[in-house]
Each structure stands twice: as C-alpha cells, then as structure tokens.
Amino acid sequence: MRNQSLGSNIGALLRRCKKMETTMRGVGLPGFLACLPLALLAWQYALMLHQKNANIHRISRRILRWQGTVSQLSAHEYARTEFIDLDRKMRADIEGACDSMRTLRDLCADICEMFSVVGYQSAMLTRGRERFDATVREACRLSQSLIDQVDAHDRRALAIRQQLHAIEQAGEASAAAHAARAAAEA
C-alpha cells in the first residue's frame, strides 16, 4: 500500500510539473526553461537513485564479509559444528532483504516510467536506473550465494554431528557390552 501511495504522489507531482511546463511554454518561455521543473525533479530523483545504489553496494560488501566469515567457520573443526542455521532464520532474513531490494527496484522502475509517461526523457535518470538494477541484481546474486554457502555448511556440519553422535553411541554400547561381560564373568 505504501508503494502505491508513494507512486501516486510522485505521479501527481510529475503531472503538476508537466502542467507547469505547458503553462510556461504557453506564456512564451523557451522550452529549456519551461522543462526546468521536470529536469530538476529528474535530477533530484537521479541523486536519490545514486544514494540508494551506494546503500545497496554497502549491503553487497557486508554479504561478502559474511561469506568470508562462513568460510572461516567452516574451516575450524569446533566452529564447523557449532554454527548451524537449523531454524533457517538466517536464510529467511537474507531472502527478506532480497525481496525488499527487488521491491525497491520495481518501485524505482515504475517512477522512471512515470517520467517517460509525462514525456520527459533523462539520460542521467536512465543510467542511474540501469546502475541501480545492476547493483540490486549483484546484491541478490551474492545473497543467493551466501544462502547456498550456509546451506552447504549446514549439511556438512549436520553430517559431522551425526557421525560424532554415532561414534559416541558406539562407544557407549561398547562400554555397556564390556561392563555386561565383566559382570557375567564375575
């Protein structure tokens, strides 16, 4: 619902700017001055896209650090079996973050399309959207890679735990058999 109201607010603002441009052209202002409100709005939105792009790029760097941490944990014997995402909350958090980034990307695409609908084309806005799309795609690819890495780690860790448990049970069974034999001989 929030995205729809945001989109309708931006759409209304764009329509007002377009109406202002038409009015300004009607009173004789040159085209480059008349389209200034739309150009400034596109410029402001391109700057917002640039900031969102930087934020998602920071998220990608964090994901890369998390991948390094999972690799390090997987390499240590003790940590290998201590870090297991049994309830899959880590996966859910990562997938939720990706869904949020995709939703934001879709909203940005809708807003860029609104500029086209009112007849305003901006190379800066187009490049910003393309960079933003690429950054979101890369962040989601890295996120999926992290999920795959955590899943692989969990499978290995659970196999190790099962193996340790089987060895422990065999040891207990052997000790019980030995105790029973010693009791029978006594």
Side-chain angles (χ1 to χ4, degrees):
M1 184 67 152
R2 183 171 177 237
N3 289 345
Q4 290 175 344
S5 66
L6 179 63
S8 63
N9 288 341
I10 292 171
L13 181 61
L14 283 167
R15 286 188 295 279
R16 284 194 301 272
C17 285
K18 185 62 175 178
K19 185 177 178 183
M20 188 184 321
E21 176 186 349
T22 304
T23 302
M24 290 166 57
R25 284 179 191 264
V27 296
L29 260 82
F32 75 93
L33 284 177
C35 75
L36 196 56
L38 272 173
L40 289 173
L41 191 59
W43 180 74
Q44 179 184 9
Y45 189 67
L47 287 177
M48 287 172 43
L49 271 176
H50 179 74
Q51 182 60 46
K52 291 180 187 320
N53 197 31
N55 291 341
I56 292 180
H57 189 69
R58 276 194 297 279
I59 291 169
S60 292
R61 286 195 310 263
R62 285 186 191 134
I63 292 168
L64 285 171
R65 286 194 307 268
W66 291 337
Q67 285 178 337
T69 301
V70 171
S71 292
Q72 289 174 353
L73 288 172
S74 293
H76 291 83
E77 190 67 35
Y78 179 72
R80 184 179 310 161
T81 58
E82 290 301 311
F83 170 70
I84 302 174
D85 187 27
L86 286 177
D87 59 3
R88 314 220 0 122
K89 285 189 179 183
M90 185 175 183
R91 171 188 267 277
D93 289 345
I94 295 168
E95 288 172 344
C98 279
D99 289 344
S100 296
M101 287 187 286
R102 287 186 197 105
T103 299
L104 181 60
R105 180 194 59 202
D106 294 344
L107 178 62
C108 290
D110 291 346
I111 292 170
C112 288
E113 182 61 29
M114 287 179 198
F115 277 95
S116 296
V117 167
V118 298
Y120 187 80
Q121 298 298 321
S122 166
M124 181 174 61
L125 193 57
T126 301
R127 284 189 309 272
R129 177 177 171 226
E130 288 169 357
R131 279 191 303 270
F132 187 68
D133 286 346
T135 302
V136 169
R137 251 190 327 276
E138 177 64 8
C140 289
R141 184 193 68 76
L142 288 171
S143 296
Q144 186 58 52
S145 175
L146 177 60
I147 288 170
D148 294 344
Q149 190 177 8
V150 168
D151 285 348
H153 166 82
D154 288 352
R155 284 190 301 275
R156 284 190 310 270
L158 288 172
I160 290 168
R161 280 190 163 218
Q162 288 170 346
Q163 184 181 29
L164 292 173
H165 183 66
I167 290 169
E168 184 180 300
Q169 284 183 328
E172 289 172 0
S174 176
H178 180 65
R181 192 172 338 118
E185 290 176 358

